Amino acid sequence: MTRIEEFEELRSLLFSIAYRILGSVSEAEDAVQETWLRYDASPATPASVKSFLSAVVTRVSIDVLRSARVRREQYVGPWLPEPLLTDPYEDPARSAELADSVSMAALILLERLSPLERAVFVLREVFAFDFPAIASAVGRSQSACRQLAVRARRHMAAERPRFEADRAERDELAERFFCALREGDVEGLRELLAADAQMVGDGGGKTPQLARAVSGAGNTARLLASVVPALVRVEVTLEPREINGQPGAIFRDREGRVLTAWTLDVLDGRIQAIRSVTNPDKLAHLGPVADAWALSREASRARRTPH
């Protein structure tokens, strides 16, 4: 097997590791590409290609995250991960861990960890790497890695997100939600939202966005019912999709360009959180991006115009 074939066989794993460490599709793809360049330039033949490449992509991702954290501290408004439509790595034995660990809620929680804690947690808890491999990947002793894992687990356990276990029920609730959304049905939306439901928007200061998170079923339902039907009137369409392993939707303009991506956290028969990413820099990997400002103006005019 050639080096290219060995690398391509492991590409999905490498991307999945990098994405969970970075929370960014574009940065994860860059980390995977850098990993290939280093592997291609390496004169030695590793005993385990998987261990070698996993270690390289982890180190690259840690370095990228350290610089990214500075930018995220200066970010305009709430920061959310880049939406991921499909996790390319599959492991039937760990499907539940993989799905939960890629959710928006989990990735936001991982942001609170140090880069080393985050990397150790991802390798150990998500991908079940042993501590010798983790120590090699992050450049710390096994003892230090065990301590990092304990700290990371403690931080994550306190607020680890929970989701609807029954996928059919979850998807059926999401379908009802998007139907009520298109129709501007305030009461219908309110019934589907948890009492303390929250809506958070990430525009990065580059698109119209919420000044702050909106909380409570009533407030959230009224906001949704005032904004989305107006977008529908200017031919914005909702395309239900699973995003980051959870129910969601991509909103597109009349030309099919991406306006925003939403994800829903569902638990106990109610929607607990709605997260909307409109920052064009975080949507470019999904396709051509819509002009959110122009659509916002058009939707505002539509709201003022009688039906």
Side-chain angles (χ1 to χ4, degrees):
M1 187 180 289
T2 67
R3 282 200 168 188
I4 292 177
E5 291 170 336
E6 290 173 331
F7 183 82
E8 289 301 327
E9 194 171 74
L10 292 164
R11 179 186 286 274
S12 62
L13 171 64
L14 302 178
F15 173 85
S16 294
I17 291 171
Y19 178 75
R20 285 166 174 80
I21 295 174
L22 294 166
S24 165
V25 172
S26 54
E27 289 174 350
E29 289 173 342
D30 288 345
V32 172
Q33 181 61 23
E34 177 63 23
T35 299
W36 160 249
L37 293 175
R38 295 188 186 187
Y39 182 42
D40 187 43
S42 173
T45 300
S48 167
V49 175
K50 177 182 176 181
S51 296
F52 177 83
L53 293 176
S54 298
V56 173
V57 81
T58 298
R59 291 189 207 111
V60 171
S61 297
I62 289 172
D63 289 343
V64 172
L65 182 59
R66 283 175 173 147
S67 60
R69 284 167 73 90
V70 176
R71 296 193 303 273
R72 291 174 191 179
E73 288 171 1
Q74 303 165 344
Y75 197 77
V76 177
W79 180 92
L80 294 175
E82 288 185 11
L84 180 68
L85 295 186
T86 305
D87 184 3
Y89 180 72
E90 295 181 0
D91 180 353
R94 303 187 63 80
S95 58
E97 293 96 327
L98 290 169
D100 286 356
S101 67
V102 83
S103 70
M104 287 277 184
L107 292 171
I108 291 167
L109 201 51
L110 282 169
E111 282 288 303
R112 302 181 188 180
L113 304 180
S114 72
L116 276 178
E117 287 172 341
R118 185 165 180 169
V120 169
F121 183 87
V122 166
L123 292 176
R124 181 63 180 170
E125 300 299 317
V126 181
F127 295 98
F129 278 55
D130 60 25
F131 280 106
I134 295 171
S136 173
V138 303
R140 295 291 189 275
S141 68
Q142 290 186 48
S143 174
C145 288
R146 290 180 188 276
Q147 292 175 357
L148 287 165
V150 168
R151 287 205 301 269
R153 277 197 299 267
R154 187 182 303 127
H155 286 307
M156 294 293 287
E159 299 180 61
R160 180 169 286 186
R162 294 162 53 233
F163 304 107
E164 186 67 61
D166 190 306
R167 182 178 292 268
E169 289 185 15
R170 183 196 73 177
D171 293 346
E172 188 269 338
L173 178 67
E175 183 179 354
R176 288 165 54 203
F177 171 77
F178 288 122
C179 285
L181 197 58
R182 293 185 186 94
E183 296 168 5
D185 181 357
V186 176
E187 287 308 311
L189 290 167
R190 194 199 307 266
E191 289 177 5
L192 298 172
L193 296 167
D196 58 350
Q198 187 177 65
M199 180 166 187
V200 181
D202 174 351
K206 299 182 178 184
T207 62
Q209 67 184 65
L210 300 171
R212 61 181 66 84
V214 177
S215 299
N219 292 335
T220 304
R222 284 190 292 273
L223 172 69
L224 293 171
S226 69
V227 172
V228 175
L231 290 172
V232 172
R233 289 180 66 189
V234 297
E235 300 178 69
V236 169
T237 57
L238 284 67
E239 176 188 316
R241 292 289 298 269
E242 183 171 274
I243 300 176
N244 286 79
Q246 304 302 319
I250 296 175
F251 290 58
R252 298 182 185 274
D253 70 7
R254 61 174 62 90
E255 305 298 330
R257 295 170 296 200
V258 179
L259 171 63
T260 180
W262 287 19
T263 59
L264 311 178
D265 289 355
V266 177
L267 181 66
D268 298 331
R270 293 289 185 274
I271 293 167
Q272 309 289 322
I274 304 164
R275 296 183 176 86
S276 165
V277 177
T278 57
N279 183 339
D281 296 342
K282 295 185 177 184
L283 299 174
H285 65 285
L286 302 178
V289 179
D291 184 338
W293 290 107
L295 278 171
S296 177
R297 291 190 294 270
E298 195 176 350
S300 294
R301 290 193 295 271
R303 278 198 297 271
R304 295 191 298 268
T305 303
H307 289 264

